[in-house]
Amino acid sequence: MSFDLARLSLLYSPRLSFSPYTAASRKGDVVRCSMKSYRLSELSFSQVENLKSRPRIDFSSIFTTVNPIIDAVRSKGDVAVKEYTERFDKVQLSKVVEDVSELPLPELDSRVKEAFDVAYDNIYAFHLAQKSTEKSVENMKGVRCKRVSRSIGSVGLYVPGGTAVLPSTALMLAIPAQIAGCKTVVLATPPTKEGSICKEVLYCAKRAGVTHILKAGGAQAIAAMAWGTDSCPKVEKIFGPGNQYVTAAKMILQNSEAMVSIDMPAGPSEVLVIADEHANPVYIAADLLSQAEHGPDSQVVLVVVGDGVNLKAIEEEIAKQCKSLPRGEFASKALSHSFTVFARDMIEAITFSNLYAPEHLIINVKDAEKWEGLIENAGSVFVGPWTPESVGDYASGTNHVLPTYGYARMYSGVSLDSFLKFMTVQSLTEEGLRNLGPYVATMAEIEGLDAHKRAVTLRLKDIEAKQQLSQTK
């Protein structure tokens, strides 16, 4: 399939004019659901750029709040973690960290247990398949190179527990760490009001090989894992989604003396749905709301393809479903800064999606599979009418810890490789150094690095002397 570059350039034309359309809103007793609408063909380059921008997060003020927490945990350790947990979560902890091996496997309802077991099996199978075989390449006679992987020794997994408990995130993060062979796996999650661990999170943690559970959330949990405390092992990389304070702590600590890496920058949850006249309005509304309910700062985008889509039916479904959701108020607030765009065809729709680079991309159009090859920027893609985003969030096997805020343009979601580090190994024989050495010496000479050159030439001289000696015998 050829990609029409002339058509793609339409979105960048400065001659096009801006034309917003206000979507019909629905007022109910509890929530008000509405989304602004625009036509892509009438937007200028700068207007499209503005449209793909996310709501701005003022990290400067958040850093002001988070920095003292990080400093306190560094200096006071477990004491600070207990103090902040009591202040923010209203829980007094007698013990900050639990050794998972010492905790009994919690009893779950059989239906719930089966659901998590199916999810575990699918996530494990998909991530196990990501293991790569080691390859050794002989670039020149006697010059052999290879790349080998090793697990990151200690990792920290953040599992949110504020407005919603997310045991699925425990599976998404702990399973690839288990397959990679990470020796120390610390899972941080806010405690219950009784100071215990959510039983579903504990079940997932035990199944997936977590070694320690830190009963804390927020910036204090991230700091404890980054610096280490008397009871919490220091980790070398931190994974997982979280609120703006968690994100800020990860950003600060990866650039600090803590010497810790993070998985990716993270922002509020988001989804972009591409739908044509064949898409069921009920499904479209449900998919949009499945991300909007995460929180008021979530963003959902609907890209309508062609003129045959019944937008009124979609709007009515959004209003109907939103009002019946327990988290409908969150969804309503998210919809207030979300939007619909009208695309003339799939080329224009996909072009905008690639610019927007969504965390989740749903392609709910006729023959959806044929468009997959044109998708360049997305965290995870859901193809066809029977693939709701929810399956990826829970149990299809793919990972739901994904780049948001447009970072899908340069970041990937969490995978097995996220828990590995890679080393290159080279080995030369005497013949190999004779073959390659003169070229290396020349390049070192050009760069003025005489010690580099000498490390080669001294060996070459010894090889030459040995050869001459053997010839005289």
Side-chain angles (χ1 to χ4, degrees):
M1 180 183 297
S2 62
F3 217 74
D4 190 339
L5 295 177
R7 291 293 312 284
L8 293 180
S9 67
L10 284 172
L11 286 180
Y12 300 94
S13 171
R15 295 173 294 175
L16 299 176
S17 59
F18 176 74
S19 179
Y21 293 77
T22 303
S25 62
R26 298 277 168 179
K27 292 184 178 180
D29 295 333
V30 181
V31 297
R32 180 177 183 272
C33 303
S34 63
M35 294 168 63
K36 297 182 179 67
S37 301
Y38 308 92
R39 290 198 178 276
L40 283 175
S41 61
E42 298 175 357
L43 301 182
S44 68
F45 171 78
S46 61
Q47 288 161 346
V48 171
E49 286 290 306
N50 289 335
L51 200 59
K52 74 179 180 66
S53 299
R54 278 41 168 198
R56 183 177 175 273
I57 299 175
D58 182 13
F59 273 112
S60 59
S61 62
I62 297 171
F63 286 159
T64 302
T65 301
V66 170
N67 267 313
I69 297 174
I70 291 174
D71 292 340
V73 172
R74 183 184 186 183
S75 60
K76 297 167 61 180
D78 289 335
V79 172
V81 174
K82 288 181 179 180
E83 289 175 351
Y84 285 115
T85 301
E86 184 173 4
R87 180 189 306 180
F88 298 134
D89 299 317
K90 312 303 180 189
V91 177
Q92 289 186 341
L93 293 175
S94 57
K95 191 176 183 181
V96 175
V97 175
E98 299 283 359
D99 185 328
V100 177
S101 66
E102 297 176 355
L103 300 174
L105 186 68
E107 292 187 10
L108 302 181
D109 176 86
S110 59
R111 182 180 60 89
V112 174
K113 179 179 179 299
E114 183 181 12
F116 282 114
D117 287 346
V118 168
Y120 176 92
D121 290 342
N122 288 349
I123 297 165
Y124 192 99
F126 184 74
H127 288 77
L128 181 64
Q130 296 170 23
K131 272 194 170 183
S132 56
T133 56
E134 186 178 298
K135 294 180 180 179
S136 181
V137 180
E138 190 172 36
N139 301 318
M140 299 175 70
K141 185 67 174 175
V143 179
R144 187 166 291 279
C145 301
K146 63 181 179 179
R147 186 171 182 251
V148 299
S149 64
R150 299 288 185 269
S151 63
I152 297 174
S154 56
V155 295
L157 318 178
Y158 187 82
V159 176
T163 60
V165 179
L166 302 177
S168 58
T169 301
L171 291 177
M172 295 291 174
L173 295 175
I175 289 173
Q178 183 181 35
I179 296 170
C182 300
K183 294 178 178 62
T184 300
V185 180
V186 181
L187 187 153
T189 191
T192 66
K193 293 300 181 184
E194 295 75 33
S196 60
I197 302 162
C198 165
K199 62 180 181 180
E200 291 83 6
V201 171
L202 177 57
Y203 179 81
C204 294
K206 286 189 74 71
R207 276 224 63 182
V210 170
T211 58
H212 302 76
I213 295 182
L214 168 63
K215 296 186 294 184
Q220 63 269 27
I222 302 298
M225 292 189 290
W227 294 117
T229 69
D230 288 342
S231 65
C232 182
K234 176 186 165 33
V235 303
E236 292 157 337
K237 188 172 183 179
I238 296 175
F239 299 81
N243 62 22
Q244 55 194 5
Y245 299 101
V246 168
T247 299
K250 287 169 69 177
M251 293 168 64
I252 292 168
L253 285 159
Q254 75 165 335
N255 294 304
S256 73
E257 295 175 0
M259 288 288 289
V260 68
S261 173
I262 66 172
D263 48 1
M264 69 191 82
S269 188
E270 58 193 30
V271 66
L272 185 147
V273 177
I274 300 177
D276 65 5
E277 61 185 314
H278 302 284
N280 188 328
V282 175
Y283 300 166
I284 297 171
D287 288 338
L288 293 169
L289 290 169
S290 71
Q291 290 305 295
E293 75 172 348
H294 271 295
D297 53 356
S298 298
Q299 187 169 44
V300 300
V301 178
L302 172 62
V303 180
V304 173
V305 181
D307 298 323
V309 178
N310 188 342
L311 186 61
K312 182 178 180 182
I314 296 172
E315 291 167 353
E316 289 174 348
E317 270 299 322
I318 290 174
K320 175 184 173 183
Q321 293 184 34
C322 186
K323 287 197 290 184
S324 67
L325 289 173
R327 298 170 66 89
E329 188 172 354
F330 286 154
S332 174
K333 290 178 180 177
L335 290 170
S336 69
H337 55 75
S338 299
F339 58 90
T340 299
V341 294
F342 296 90
R344 290 170 295 183
D345 53 33
M346 280 297 291
I347 296 295
E348 194 170 65
I350 291 176
T351 301
F352 178 75
S353 177
N354 283 332
L355 287 170
Y356 187 82
E359 177 189 16
H360 305 98
L361 169 61
I362 296 175
I363 308 176
N364 191 349
V365 301
K366 185 179 180 180
D367 300 326
E369 293 80 6
K370 75 178 186 180
W371 301 104
E372 178 190 333
L374 302 184
I375 303 302
E376 296 180 358
N377 303 320
S380 192
V381 183
F382 303 81
V383 181
W386 308 115
T387 318
E389 184 275 333
S390 308
V391 299
D393 264 356
Y394 291 107
S396 67
T398 62
N399 208 291
H400 78 200
V401 181
L402 303 165
T404 65
Y405 222 68
Y407 283 109
R409 282 188 288 273
M410 70 289 289
Y411 281 89
S412 305
V414 165
S415 67
L416 179 62
D417 281 359
S418 305
F419 294 84
L420 300 172
K421 53 186 184 289
F422 295 86
M423 302 181 293
T424 53
V425 180
Q426 48 262 296
S427 176
L428 275 65
T429 63
E430 186 177 293
E431 180 184 10
L433 187 61
R434 284 203 313 269
N435 291 335
L436 181 61
Y439 302 111
V440 174
T442 297
M443 295 176 72
E445 183 179 344
I446 291 297
E447 294 188 353
L449 298 175
D450 288 351
H452 281 67
K453 176 181 176 181
R454 194 173 299 159
V456 172
T457 57
L458 288 174
R459 286 175 167 84
L460 290 176
K461 286 179 180 178
D462 283 348
I463 293 172
E464 184 178 355
K466 187 168 65 173
Q467 285 181 330
Q468 290 176 353
L469 181 62
S470 65
Q471 290 171 2
T472 60
K473 288 183 179 180

